[in-house]
Amino acid sequence: MPSDRDTLLSMGFEPSRVDWALRATGGRGLQPAMDHVFEHEGEPVPDPNSSSAPAPASASASASASASGGGDQPMDVDVDVDDEGAEALRSSIRGGSAGAADVEAKSIKCAICNKTFRNTALANYHAEKSGHDQFEESTDEVKPLTEEEKKEKLTELRAKMAVKRATKAEQDLIDAKANEAIKRKQGKDLNKIKEDLKAKEIVKEAEQRRRDKIEDAKAKAAVKAQIEADKKARAEKFAREKALREGRPIVDAPSTSAPSAPVAAAASTSRGVAGKDFKDTRLQIRLANGGAPYTTTLPSDATLREVAEFVAAQTLDVTVDTISFTQQFPRKTFSDADFGKTLRELGLTPSAVRI
């Protein structure tokens, strides 16, 4: 889309007045610049490099005289163009008008697109924008727009600007909807990933709780069987001592020569679990002062000292030398000598809970 400057130039206004209007209005848009041009139509264009010294009123006249003379006098150009482009345009104009030097030139015509321009500034601007490099002087006079034509042009420009705004608003709405759809899709994908991870974690935790429950049940059963066996052993010992005191013969109970069925089953289960070759051991370490337990998985050949090093790395409250471990079923406190034994030797595989 053409800029505000291009639009004003296409309406036939002088580039110097267009630049003055755009500077004075601070680039606020086409309508303020148009109003400025209309309000200051008969006033001289001030010098942009000096706020106090206005430009001479004969600047436009000298530019027109220079363009029509066709001699070696410098041309006053109202737009910023480089010296090479201006010189090329002058050469093109001089070459195209060599045979008609005696005819007064009133405009400059592009030989490529046949557009006619009032002065060299507009021709230079057209050359920069279009890339055309063939110009010739013309006797056709480009008349300034009348008030009616200016109003019609302004109405046309306003209609074009309204269409442009409506098109841009519609495109912005389409882009916003597309961006919103992309964001919703990304949000759905991210939520689905989070839900899948959460579901997998729930399943994993449930499976681990099930295994821990089974192991705890086995340990409790073994402890209960051991307690029953200890009770029977104490009862048999009490019976023998009583028989010795009373002088009666000692009769060994069947349980003294062979373990009872529950004890034998518990011992068999314990031996079966301990004898199985578990590669890794899962440990849950609970602190005596409460708090969230630590869980880790270590090789079954790791020593109890490595477990102490793991706990010491998790908290600053203890060190390897101050840590001691106990178990509840059966009640046992591990000594310093146990720190050099492996988890398999201590019967902690495949999983155990320690305090």
Side-chain angles (χ1 to χ4, degrees), residues 55-66:
S58 60
S60 301
S62 64
S64 301
S66 176

Side-chain angles (χ1 to χ4, degrees), residues 223-236 263:
V223 170
K224 186 176 181 180
Q226 185 65 39
I227 293 173
E228 293 295 331
D230 292 343
K231 287 181 179 180
K232 292 183 179 180
R234 287 195 297 270
E236 293 172 0
V263 176

Side-chain angles (χ1 to χ4, degrees), residues 96-108:
S97 60
D102 54 341
V103 180
E104 181 181 1
K106 297 182 179 181
S107 61
I108 300 173

Side-chain angles (χ1 to χ4, degrees), residues 61 89 101 155:
L89 181 60
T155 303

Side-chain angles (χ1 to χ4, degrees), residues 189-199:
D189 294 342
L190 183 60
N191 290 334
K192 187 175 183 303
I193 293 174
K194 290 182 178 179
E195 290 176 358
D196 293 343
L197 292 176
K198 186 176 181 180

Side-chain angles (χ1 to χ4, degrees), residues 13 15 21 39 43 55 78-79 115 139-141 234 237 263:
F13 297 116
E39 292 173 0
E43 300 178 10
D78 293 332
V79 294
K115 288 185 177 181
T139 58
D140 297 335
E141 183 179 0
R234 287 195 297 270
K237 180 180 179 182
V263 176

